[in-house]
Amino acid sequence: MKKLRLGCVVMAAGNSKRFRGNKLLALYEGRSLIERTLQAVPKKEFYRVAVVSQYDEVLAMAKRYGFIPVKNPAPDEGVSLTIRLGLDAIGKVDGAMFMVADQPLLTRSSVQAEIEFFKRDTSSIAAMAYGKRRGNPAIFPKDLFVELRELRGDVGGSIVMCAHQDRLRLYQIEDKMELFDADCAEELENLKSKKEN
């Protein structure tokens, strides 16, 4: 039986408009958000890992981790361009995991467990969730790559998920905070103060 070949796309190209500055370089417990994300990637599970970003610091860090740095030359075109660039970089794979880069509490063990969950039904879309709340990362099988490539503007894989609800399976995590994403600086500061108290 052919070994399943998975790729991973770390989406780190956004403008962080609500954050006032490059949030990927913001620190949480001594490590930047992008570094925490890269450390959550179980590298051995993937044929290729691509990190798509407009930021040279992020691309340099991706290279240090042994991942493929992919420059996004037009981040204002939205997340759909990041998806296409990422798919181009990971090549011929049976499935692709898409990760965002602003979930400071996401753990490698949960990402690993979601991959195992996907492997049990590789025709499905696997998304991390807590109860009914769906979040990231998400894994798409290769037959849906065409639809992902057709996306335009600042829209992501949720549209493809909605079009294939019958194929969506939710991987349930135990700690809902792993889904937390820091959209603005205040949210990250609130998270830090909660941790300290």
Side-chain angles (χ1 to χ4, degrees):
M1 190 172 140
K2 185 170 85 79
K3 185 176 184 291
L4 186 72
R5 182 183 273 190
L6 293 176
C8 177
V9 177
V10 178
M11 301 187 293
N15 287 321
S16 309
K17 286 176 183 170
R18 283 185 286 172
F19 203 87
R20 299 187 309 274
N22 185 355
K23 71 176 171 182
L24 302 180
L25 301 180
L27 298 179
Y28 179 75
E29 295 190 339
R31 288 176 292 154
S32 65
L33 296 191
I34 183 60
E35 186 165 19
R36 297 181 75 90
T37 300
L38 298 183
Q39 289 173 345
V41 176
K43 188 176 179 181
K44 64 179 174 52
E45 290 290 342
F46 296 111
Y47 168 62
R48 285 180 180 159
V49 178
V51 180
V52 185
S53 185
Q54 62 173 305
Y55 303 108
D56 291 336
E57 305 98 314
V58 171
L59 297 173
M61 188 179 293
K63 201 167 185 179
R64 288 199 297 275
Y65 273 80
F67 301 152
I68 303 167
V70 180
K71 183 81 169 183
N72 183 329
D76 289 338
E77 288 188 24
V79 70
S80 62
L81 177 58
T82 293
I83 289 171
R84 292 195 300 279
L85 291 170
L87 286 173
D88 287 346
I90 59 176
K92 291 185 178 180
V93 292
D94 301 308
M97 171 176 272
F98 292 88
M99 298 177 69
V100 295
D102 60 355
Q103 289 176 243
L105 301 180
L106 181 67
T107 64
R108 184 185 298 183
S109 59
S110 289
V111 177
Q112 178 76 54
E114 184 182 359
I115 292 167
E116 297 305 319
F117 178 78
F118 174 75
K119 286 178 180 176
R120 294 198 287 274
D121 181 0
T122 57
S123 66
S124 68
I125 305 167
M128 197 172 281
Y130 182 83
K132 292 182 180 178
R133 184 187 165 203
R134 175 173 57 77
N136 293 297
I139 309 174
F140 291 83
K142 66 180 178 183
D143 69 294
L144 295 179
F145 291 179
V146 171
E147 290 179 46
L148 289 169
R149 287 180 179 281
E150 288 172 349
L151 296 171
R152 292 295 181 270
D154 198 25
V155 294
S158 288
I159 288 180
V160 178
M161 288 183 192
C162 289
H164 299 278
Q165 283 285 341
D166 56 323
R167 295 174 63 179
L168 178 61
R169 296 169 66 234
L170 300 180
Y171 170 67
Q172 296 289 339
I173 53 173
E174 294 181 7
D175 182 0
K176 66 181 178 181
M177 291 306 294
E178 288 199 60
L179 295 182
F180 168 82
D181 57 354
D183 284 329
C184 61
E186 290 77 13
E187 289 177 344
L188 191 59
E189 290 305 316
N190 286 342
L191 182 65
K192 289 177 185 175
S193 57
K194 279 181 190 172
K195 192 84 171 176
E196 289 163 4
N197 295 331

